[in-house]
Structures are given as structure tokens and as C-alpha cells.
Amino acid sequence: MFKEKILVIEDDVQIQNFMVYTLENAGFTVEGVVKGKDGIDYMIRKNADLILLDLGLPDMDGMDVLRKIREWSEVPIIVVSARDQDKEKVAALDDGADDYLTKPFSATELMARIRVALRHYYRMNPVKTVDKPDETVYKNGGITVDNGAHIAYKDGKEIHLTPLEYQLVLLLMQNTGKVLTYHTLLRKIWGEGYGEDTQVLRSLMASTRRKIENNPAKPEYIETEIGVGYRMREHDKIKE
């Protein structure tokens, strides 16, 4: 049976031991290192299926480790850090982190974030075979986006979205479970010229929620990560 290999880059021995123990009990193969350089070397020599990365490392900043690994690898990276400022989270996510977990955290939360990150990675990087064409239909709970036909559905009924609303929903569906920062969404939908003009994004989000949420004031699908961005919540009834 295949076991995903997780690399833990963490210099706090107690926290590293806690994560290793939790992950091994869950059936993962785990390797722990305390220095950023050792983590990079491990990825070059052996690779891993997911990385848990602390930012406050003794030899180099974790952000530099993140950027270095992203030069050649798309492996899921979850930043695990005591830095809880929004600007730190935004910087990590914009530089390629898949998620950001603030210390302290529980074993339950750690496992939930890992499962979501791995599912997202496998969804975006399916094993392609001759008889399995590229997946263009994204499903999450009652929401379905057929990107081949450029149509979105809610509970089987077509949702009439504007081109920008459709693009926003598509991006969030493609990254279900992952936080997309304001900057990332602005850049992908409108281009670099919009910079940090989040008001236009908030307006687009408001109109989109009115069409896909049962109650826009209490969204079931698109969650706001205050000061950071938006996340398409992975619905309990997701179908692969």
C-alpha cells in the first residue's frame, strides 16, 4: 500500500516530535529535519509528497526555503509558523504555499489541512492515461463547473454568471480547500494593473455569492480569510 512521504522542516524539537508522531500514527512515512538547507537537500535527493515548513529556522528564513523549492517543485507546502500577521500569511501564500497553519494547533487541525492539500494536489495533477482525458469538470457539494462548456451549475440547475463571476468561481473551484490571496485573484482575473484594488474584487465576490450561496450573509461555499483572501470550502458531499 502506498504511503505518502511527508517532510517536516521544524527546528523546535517538541513540535517536530509531535508532528512526526501524529503523522506516523496516521499512516504516513515521515522525515524530520531542523535546517532549511537540509530540507532543500532532501527534496533534491529523495523528494516528498508534502512539506510542513516552519518559517523561523536556524540557518535561513523559511520563506527562502519556500521560494527555492518552488523553483522546481509543485509539491504541497503547508507553512507552520508562530507568525500570525496577515502580511506574513499573504506573503507565504503568494510565494507558493498551499496553506498556512498558525501555532499552536491541534493534531485534528493538522491532519485536516494535510488531507485537503493532498486532495487538491491530486485533483490538479491526475494520473493521465490514454483512456482518461484531462478533467475539465469540477464538483464540490452542489456546485459543478464544466470548464469545457463554460457553464456552472447549482444543484443541477445552470447558474447565469457573468464572465468575471465565472472566472472567479472557476479559480476557487480549481483550488478547493486552498486560500487564494486577494493579490492572486486580482492578478489572475484582471491582470497586474489592478495591483491591490480589493474593492473591485469585493464587489465581484458579493455578486457571485448572491448566485451560488443559499444565504450570502452566511456563505456555505466561499469563505473569507479576513485580511488574506478567499477559500472555496471543501464541501462534505464533494464527489470526485
Side-chain angles (χ1 to χ4, degrees):
M1 181 178 177
F2 172 72
K3 291 184 178 181
E4 285 100 341
K5 184 189 301 179
I6 296 181
L7 174 63
V8 179
I9 309 176
E10 169 64 68
D11 67 323
D12 186 309
V13 176
Q14 287 187 329
I15 294 178
Q16 185 183 120
N17 289 341
F18 163 72
M19 290 195 286
V20 171
Y21 175 81
T22 299
L23 296 171
E24 287 182 341
N25 278 352
F28 294 104
T29 299
V30 189
E31 181 70 26
V33 298
V34 300
K35 294 183 179 180
K37 184 178 184 302
D38 292 339
I40 294 171
D41 289 344
Y42 184 91
M43 287 298 295
I44 293 173
R45 292 183 293 104
K46 298 183 179 181
N47 205 4
D49 298 297
L50 183 141
I51 299 172
L52 295 173
L53 173 64
D54 182 31
L55 296 184
L57 300 171
D59 61 330
M60 60 190 300
D61 191 280
M63 291 292 292
D64 293 328
V65 177
L66 171 63
R67 297 185 191 103
K68 190 68 177 177
I69 293 175
R70 275 290 174 258
E71 289 178 2
W72 82 87
S73 176
E74 291 300 318
V75 63
I77 299 176
I78 299 177
V79 168
V80 180
S81 177
R83 303 178 189 175
D84 61 357
Q85 298 297 312
D86 289 344
K87 64 179 181 180
E88 300 282 359
K89 297 178 183 180
V90 170
L93 292 166
D94 277 343
D95 280 348
D98 291 81
D99 208 342
Y100 195 108
L101 189 56
T102 303
K103 300 175 184 177
F105 53 86
S106 67
T108 300
E109 185 175 14
L110 175 65
M111 292 305 305
R113 298 295 185 93
I114 288 173
R115 286 193 294 268
V116 169
L118 287 173
R119 278 197 292 267
H120 173 253
Y121 179 75
Y122 293 142
R123 185 184 297 117
M124 297 303 293
N125 297 274
V127 177
K128 293 181 173 62
T129 61
V130 173
D131 60 347
K132 183 179 180 182
D134 291 350
E135 182 63 59
T136 59
V137 178
Y138 302 90
K139 297 181 179 180
N140 185 37
I143 304 299
T144 301
V145 174
D146 184 341
N147 197 33
H150 286 266
I151 299 174
Y153 301 89
K154 178 182 177 182
D155 299 328
K157 298 180 180 180
E158 183 177 349
I159 311 170
H160 296 286
L161 300 172
T162 68
L164 289 179
E165 290 169 347
Y166 175 84
Q167 195 170 354
L168 174 60
V169 172
L170 175 63
L171 283 168
L172 291 166
M173 289 287 283
Q174 288 175 328
N175 293 277
T176 297
K178 178 179 177 179
V179 178
L180 295 181
T181 66
Y182 301 131
H183 175 76
T184 296
L185 290 169
L186 285 166
R187 177 170 50 83
K188 287 183 176 293
I189 296 174
W190 285 280
E192 294 290 351
Y194 270 77
E196 302 301 322
D197 184 6
T198 57
Q199 184 55 49
V200 67
L201 178 58
R202 290 192 181 95
S203 296
L204 179 63
M205 180 58 69
S207 65
T208 302
R209 277 178 168 154
R210 285 195 291 270
K211 295 181 179 181
I212 72 168
E213 301 284 2
N214 292 322
N215 181 357
K218 296 181 179 179
E220 301 172 35
Y221 288 99
I222 305 176
E223 298 179 331
T224 300
E225 295 285 337
I226 298 174
V228 180
Y230 299 101
R231 182 201 303 264
M232 175 66 74
R233 185 173 70 83
E234 189 169 35
H235 199 275
D236 293 339
K237 297 180 181 178
I238 185 171
K239 298 177 183 179
E240 297 294 349

